[in-house]
Amino acid sequence: MEGIRRPFQGVTNVVLFNWHFYVLAVTVTLITLVLGGFWNSYVLILLGVLVLVATSTSLMASFYVYDVSGLYALDWLDEIDVDRSGRLLNMNAGFDETSDLLDAKYPLSSVNAFDFYDPRNQTEVSIERARHAYPSYKSTAKVRTFELPVDDDAVDTILVIFSAHEIRIQHERVDFFRELSRAVKSSGNIIVTEHLRDVWNLLAYSAGVFHFFPRSTWQKTFDDAGLSISREIKITPFVTTFVLNKNGSAP
């Protein structure tokens, strides 16, 4: 599984898709250090050092999470009751790093990829860059978050890996998860993997943590969509997976 990804692919993607942020960080660091030294200002020097440390920390955390931790080996899915010969639905917001990996991990399954990217709502430039950098998974279908082209109770496992947070409006997220609940079988699972807005991710990504949602927001989203958390897995201190089931169904 890990051989499918290139060395340093994760942290390289982070830099390529968010290069404007790193250019700004380097520029601010250089200006504050130079001016701080010229004016003998410890405040400016400290500011430059803090920006440098925060930027370096986020890159080290990204390298650990996306390249070292084994996240994309998908071994953590072995802890979940995934039907290895069933229908798997993999949701993405315009950038899909996992459908090929799922295909390799579950060769007897039918893996379908749905792309719910909408440029009117998902406006981050990093997503647009990612879409141009990598081709879509074979037979990826463009869908809307509130209307999936799937029959009721038709899917054994639905995966939403690092994409649900791109749905920034609460009621749209609830509608999206209601659609997932409609599509998944009562015996199936919805697997949601995300960074959380918590202390660990604050330490790793500083202000970038506000792009993530706190656990309480996810809990409310799942509750409002009629889903319950049957299991919570910490893949790393920075990444959490929620295993969801329909309310009233056995996990």
Side-chain angles (χ1 to χ4, degrees):
M1 294 296 301
E2 289 177 314
I4 297 177
R5 289 177 62 85
R6 302 184 305 275
F8 302 99
Q9 179 175 329
V11 71
T12 299
N13 285 343
V14 170
V15 174
L16 288 177
F17 302 157
N18 301 278
W19 61 262
H20 58 290
F21 168 79
Y22 293 102
V23 169
L24 177 62
V26 170
T27 302
V28 170
T29 299
L30 291 175
I31 290 175
T32 53
L33 290 178
V34 170
L35 292 181
F38 183 77
W39 289 332
N40 198 26
S41 171
Y42 293 110
V43 173
L44 284 177
I45 292 173
L46 178 60
L47 176 60
V49 170
L50 289 176
V51 173
L52 178 62
V53 169
T55 305
S56 300
T57 300
S58 70
L59 288 174
M60 288 188 290
S62 295
F63 175 63
Y64 167 66
V65 171
Y66 305 128
D67 294 305
V68 176
S69 70
L71 171 69
Y72 287 104
L74 302 183
D75 291 339
W76 49 273
L77 284 172
D78 296 337
E79 302 180 38
I80 305 170
D81 185 20
V82 175
D83 188 337
R84 291 179 170 270
S85 59
R87 183 179 179 187
L88 274 67
L89 184 57
N90 194 28
M91 309 295 303
N92 72 80
F95 179 47
D96 183 359
E97 287 192 286
T98 52
S99 288
D100 283 319
L101 302 176
L102 290 166
D103 228 355
K105 185 174 180 66
Y106 302 113
L108 300 180
S109 294
S110 171
V111 177
N112 300 116
F114 281 2
D115 174 5
F116 60 80
Y117 172 75
D118 184 344
R120 295 170 299 180
N121 298 323
Q122 284 94 47
T123 58
E124 290 201 6
V125 66
S126 57
I127 299 179
E128 195 61 36
R129 290 172 184 158
R131 289 174 62 81
H132 284 97
Y134 286 87
S136 298
Y137 174 75
K138 60 183 181 183
S139 304
T140 296
K142 286 287 298 177
V143 299
R144 293 182 289 185
T145 53
F146 57 88
E147 187 179 21
L148 301 182
V150 180
D151 293 335
D152 295 355
D153 303 308
V155 182
D156 296 283
T157 305
I158 301 178
L159 299 104
V160 196
I161 300 176
F162 295 138
S163 60
H165 70 276
E166 300 294 352
I167 307 172
R168 306 305 294 178
I169 303 171
Q170 170 68 9
H171 72 78
E172 184 184 357
R173 275 197 312 279
V174 172
D175 289 343
F176 172 68
F177 278 98
R178 282 177 178 156
E179 272 294 275
L180 299 187
S181 177
R182 179 190 64 78
V184 76
K185 296 178 180 178
S186 296
S187 59
N189 295 311
I190 300 172
I191 301 169
V192 181
T193 298
E194 287 287 348
H195 292 278
L196 300 182
R197 189 186 301 172
D198 57 15
V199 172
W200 281 105
N201 284 291
L202 173 62
L203 293 173
Y205 299 107
S206 58
V209 75
F210 292 101
H211 184 59
F212 311 137
F213 293 120
R215 189 188 185 285
S216 58
T217 297
W218 289 116
Q219 182 71 69
K220 177 172 174 50
T221 298
F222 302 150
D223 288 345
D224 291 350
L227 295 164
S228 57
I229 301 173
S230 65
R231 190 165 184 188
E232 192 169 329
I233 301 170
K234 296 294 287 188
I235 301 173
T236 77
F238 309 104
V239 178
T240 300
T241 286
F242 300 105
V243 182
L244 309 178
N245 300 111
K246 296 181 180 182
N247 284 340
S249 63

